[in-house]
C-alpha cells in the first residue's frame, strides 16, 4: 500500500551533501597532496641508509622530521637514485654525515601544509552541523526554528482513495473479529446515528492475538472500509531516542488526528508502551520514559469526548497480559477483539486469497493443504503460498503444483516448530480426545458452565486445544457439588487420554494445577471438608488493585497439614475416578465427537449441543450441601 509521508518542510538536503562532500574532500586530499610532495620514493630501512652513508655512496641528504630523503652519488651502484627513509632518534647523524663528507640540509616546512590545516579547520564543523541536522530530522522537526521541535511524530498516514486499499475482503479466516470491527466502521461512517440516541462511541479497540494473524491488516481494512484516514505508528517508535518526547509525540499525534477526523489512529505493538506499570514481581517503577508516554496516551484518550469528531484508536498486541490495567478500563481500550489463528475453513479461505495471486496447477487441492496446516496463522499461509511459488519457479515449472506445496509445508513447519506449536497428527488426536473428555464430563457436571465450543486449533498463547465454557448466568456462590463438578471437568481431559490411549501426556498439567488449587481451596478456605471442619487454614488474601494476589497458609500442626494433604488428594482422586467412569460409560459418544472434531477442528453451536445432550449419566452426584461464598468465576473458562 502506498504510504504518503507527512509533508516535510522543504530544506536543503544537508545530510546527503555532507555524505558526498566529506569523502570527496578526503579523496581530493589524497590525490592532490602527492603532487606537492612529489612522486613516491623507494623507502629503505634506516640502517641501510647509514650503511650507504658509511660506504660513501650518498651525495646529499635532506633531513625532515618524519622523513629523510637522500640522493646517491656516482660512486654508488645506482648513481642519481633518490631514496627515502624514516628517521629514528639519532643525535649522531649530523656527525656521521659530516665525517663522510655528505652534503645535508633540513627539509623546509612544507608549503603545501596549508591544505591539510584548512581541512582540519573545516571538516569538524561540517560534521558537527551535519549531525545536528541529522538528529533534528530524526524528530521530523523543522530544523532550527523555535525551541527544538523534536517532538513531531512520524506517523504514517494512509489516505482514503488509494487504489490498492485494504478491505475486509483481503482478510479471511477471522470472521468473528471482522464482525466486531464492522461495527467500528459504522461508528466512523455514521456517528450521528449513535450519538443522536445518546450512545457514546467507543474510543478504543484492542486487537489481541498471536503474531501474524492479521491484526495490522484488519486495522488497515477498517480504515479502508470506512474510507477515513489512518494514522499508523508502532509503540516502539514512540519510545525512541530522546527522553520525554514519547509523551509529546502522543499529544502531537492526537492533535493531527483530530484535525482529520473522522479517522483512525492505529498503535501497533501497544505493549511497547503499555506494559503494566507494576512489574511482575510487584516492584513499581522502572522505565520512566515509557510510563510518561503511557500516561499521556491515557490522558489523550480521556480527553476527546462526545463533542469531538470521531477518532477511534485501534491498537494491536500479542501480549495482552502485560498491558497496564488502566489501558483496559472502559473509556479507553474497552473493547478487546480476539484475532485468533484460523480454523480449517478459515485457512482454506486465506489460501484462496493468496492462491489467486499465483498460477495454480489444475490438480492442486487447497482443502488438502488447509487440512495439513493446523496452527498456521494468516502470515504463515501467505508465506506458504509464496514459498511454493518460489519452488515451482526454481523447477522452471509454469504453474505451482501439489509437490511444491508439500515441500513448502515442510519448510514452513520446520521454521514454525520453534516459534509456535504445530501439532503432528498423533498429537492432534490426543488433543481432540482430551478436549472432548472435558466437554463430555462438563456436560454432566452441576457446577460446569455450558460447553459452547471445542477447538483443537493450537492457541499459541494458552493451550493446544480448548473447551470453552460460557456461564449462562453470573454466579457468586458455588456449592460443594458444583466445585467438585468443576474439578471433575478439569480432570476429564486427562481421563479421556487414559481411557483411549492408556497413557498420559504432559498436556494436562495446567488442568491438574487448577484442579488441585480448587480442591485445596475447598479444604483450606471454604471449610468443605468434614474431617477438617469449618476452619480457614489459608490466611487472608492480599488483594491489590493490579490483581496479583497470593495466599499463604496459616501456621498449622504437622498432623493438620497431613490431614489437609489427604483431603485434597481424596477430592481430586475422587473426581478423577468419576471422570473415568463417565467417559467409560460414554465411550462411543466420545469416539464419535472426537472423530468429528479431528475433521472440523472446531465444533460449536447447536450441532455440538445435540451431541452433548446424548451423554448418559454415570452416577448421581451427592446431594446439595449449603452454598458457600467463593470468588466469582471468571467470564470464560478455558480448560
Ligand atoms: P499481525 O499484525 O497480526 O502480526 P499482520 O497483519 O501483520 O499480522 O499479517 C502479516 C501478513 O500476513 C499480512 O500482511 C497478510 O499478508 C498476511 N495475513 C495475516 N493474516 C491474514 C488473514 N487473516 N487473511 C489474509 N492475510 C493474512
Ligand atoms: Mg502487526
Ligand atoms: Zn485440558
Amino acid at each position: 500500500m502506498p504510504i504518503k509521508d507527512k509533508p516535510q518542510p522543504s530544506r536543503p538536503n544537508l545530510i546527503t551533501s555532507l555524505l558526498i562532500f566529506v569523502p570527496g574532500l578526503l579523496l581530493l586530499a589524497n590525490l592532490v597532496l602527492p603532487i606537492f610532495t612529489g612522486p613516491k620514493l623507494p623507502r629503505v630501512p634506516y640502517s641501510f641508509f647509514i650503511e650507504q652513508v658509511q660506504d660513501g655512496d650518498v651525495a646529499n641528504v635532506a633531513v625532515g622530521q618524519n622523513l629523510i630523503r637522500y640522493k646517491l652519488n656516482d660512486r654508488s651502484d645506482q648513481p642519481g637514485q633518490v631514496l627515502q627513509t624514516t628517521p629514528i632518534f639519532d643525535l649522531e647523524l649530523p656527525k656521521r654525515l659530516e665525517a663522510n663528507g655528505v652534503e645535508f640540509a633540513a627539509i623546509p616546512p612544507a608549503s603545501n601544509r596549508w591544505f591539510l590545516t584548512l581541512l582540519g579547520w573545516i571538516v569538524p564543523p561540517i560534521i558537527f552541523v551535519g549531525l545536528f541536522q541529522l538528529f533534528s530530522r530524526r524528530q521530523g522537526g523543522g530544523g532550527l526554528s523555535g525551541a527544538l521541535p523534536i517532538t513531531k511524530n512520524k506517523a504514517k498516514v494512509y489516505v482514503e482513495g488509494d487504489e490498492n486499499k485494504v478491505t475486509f475482503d483481503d482478510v479471511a479466516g477471522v470472521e468473528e473479529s471482522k464482525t466486531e470491527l464492522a461495527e467500528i466502521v459504522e461508528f466512523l461512517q455514521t456517528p450521528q446515528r449513535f450519538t443522536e440516541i445518546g450512545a457514546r462511541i467507543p474510543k478504543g479497540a484492542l486487537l489481541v492475538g498471536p503474531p501474524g494473524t492479521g491484526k495490522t491488516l484488519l486495522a488497515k481494512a477498517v480504515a479502508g472500509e470506512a474510507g477515513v484516514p489512518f494514522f499508523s505508528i508502532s509503540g516502539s517508535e514512540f519510545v525512541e531516542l530522546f527522553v520525554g518526547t514519547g509523551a509529546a509525540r502522543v499529544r502531537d499525534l492526537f492533535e493531527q488526528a483530530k484535525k482529520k477526523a473522522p479517522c483512525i489512529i492505529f498503535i501497533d505493538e501497544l505493549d511497547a508502551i503499555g506494559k503494566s506499570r507494576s512489574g511482575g514481581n510487584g516492584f513499581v517503577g522502572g522505565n520512566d520514559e515509557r510510563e510518561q508516554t503511557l500516561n499521556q496516551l491515557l490522558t489523550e484518550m480521556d480527553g476527546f469526548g462526545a463533542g469531538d469528531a470521531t477518532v477511534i484508536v485501534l491498537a494491536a498486541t500479542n501480549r495482552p497480559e502485560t498491558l497496564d490495567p488502566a489501558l483496559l478500563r472502559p473509556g479507553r481500550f474497552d473493547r478487546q477483539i480476539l484475532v485468533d489463528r484460523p480454523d480449517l475453513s478459515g485457512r482454506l479461505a486465506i489460501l484462496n486469497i493468496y492462491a489467486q495471486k499465483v498460477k495454480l496447477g489444475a490438480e492442486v487441492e487447497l482443502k488438502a493443504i488447509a487440512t495439513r496446516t493446523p496452527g498456521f496463522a494468516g502470515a504463515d499461509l501467505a508465506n506458504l503460498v509464496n514459498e511454493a511459488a518460489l519452488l515451482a519457479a526454481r523447477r522452471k515449472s509454469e504453474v505451482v503444483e501439489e509437490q511444491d506445496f508439500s515441500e513448502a509445508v515442510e519448510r514452513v513447519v520446520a521454521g514454525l516448530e520453534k516459534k509456535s506449536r504445530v501439532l503432528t497428527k498423533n498429537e492432534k488426536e490426543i488433543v481432540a480426545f482430551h478436549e472432548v473428555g472435558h466437554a463430555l464430563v462438563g456436560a454432566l457436571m452441576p457446577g460446569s458452565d455450558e460447553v459452547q465450543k471445542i477447538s483443537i486449533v493450537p492457541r499459541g498463547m494458552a493451550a493446544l486445544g480448548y473447551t470453552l465454557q460460557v456461564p449462562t448466568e453470573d454466579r457468586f456462590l458455588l456449592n460443594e457439588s458444583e466445585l467438585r463438578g468443576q474439578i471433575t471437568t478439569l480432570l476429564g481431559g486427562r481421563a479421556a487420554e487414559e481411557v483411549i490411549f492408556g497413557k498420559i501426556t504432559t498436556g494436562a498439567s495446567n488442568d491438574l494445577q487448577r484442579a488441585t488449587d480448587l480442591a485445596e481451596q475447598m479444604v483450606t478456605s471454604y471449610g468443605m471438608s468434614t474431617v477438617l471442619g469449618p476452619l480457614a487454614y489459608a490466611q487472608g488474601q492480599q488483594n491489590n488493585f493490579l490483581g496479583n494476589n497470593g495466599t499463604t497458609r496459616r501456621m498449622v500442626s504437622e498432623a493438620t497439614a497431613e490431614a489437609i494433604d489427604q483431603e485434597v488428594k481424596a477430592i481430586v482422586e475422587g473426581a478423577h475416578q468419576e471422570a473415568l467412569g463417565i467417559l467409560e460409560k460414554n465411550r462411543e459418544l466420545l469416539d464419535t465427537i472426537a472423530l468429528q472434531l479431528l475433521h472440523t477442528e472446531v465444533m460449536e453451536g447447536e450441532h455440538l449441543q445435540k451431541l452433548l445432550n446424548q451423554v448418559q449419566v454415570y452416577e448421581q452426584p451427592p446431594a446439595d450441601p449449603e452454598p458457600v461464598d467463593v470468588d466469582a468465576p471468571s467470564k470464560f473458562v478455558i480448560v
Side-chain angles (χ1 to χ4, degrees), residues 379-401:
D380 303 322
L381 292 167
N383 182 24
L384 171 74
V385 175
N386 192 50
E387 279 286 329
L390 288 176
L391 287 168
R394 189 174 305 161
R395 283 195 302 121
K396 303 213 166 56
S397 161
E398 298 270 292
V399 290
V400 189
E401 305 271 8

Side-chain angles (χ1 to χ4, degrees), residues 149-199:
I150 50 176
T151 57
K152 286 272 165 23
N153 73 78
K154 45 175 191 176
K156 296 177 195 111
V157 186
Y158 298 81
V159 182
E160 55 182 308
D162 287 345
E163 53 303 339
N164 41 4
K165 68 177 180 186
V166 182
T167 66
F168 280 152
D169 289 340
D170 298 316
V171 195
V174 283
E175 298 311 319
E176 290 150 48
S177 334
K178 270 180 6 189
T179 317
E180 290 198 50
L181 286 169
E183 208 183 356
I184 290 189
V185 173
E186 273 181 55
F187 291 147
L188 286 163
Q189 280 175 336
T190 52
Q192 57 287 1
R193 232 183 68 208
F194 300 89
T195 48
E196 262 163 24
I197 52 165

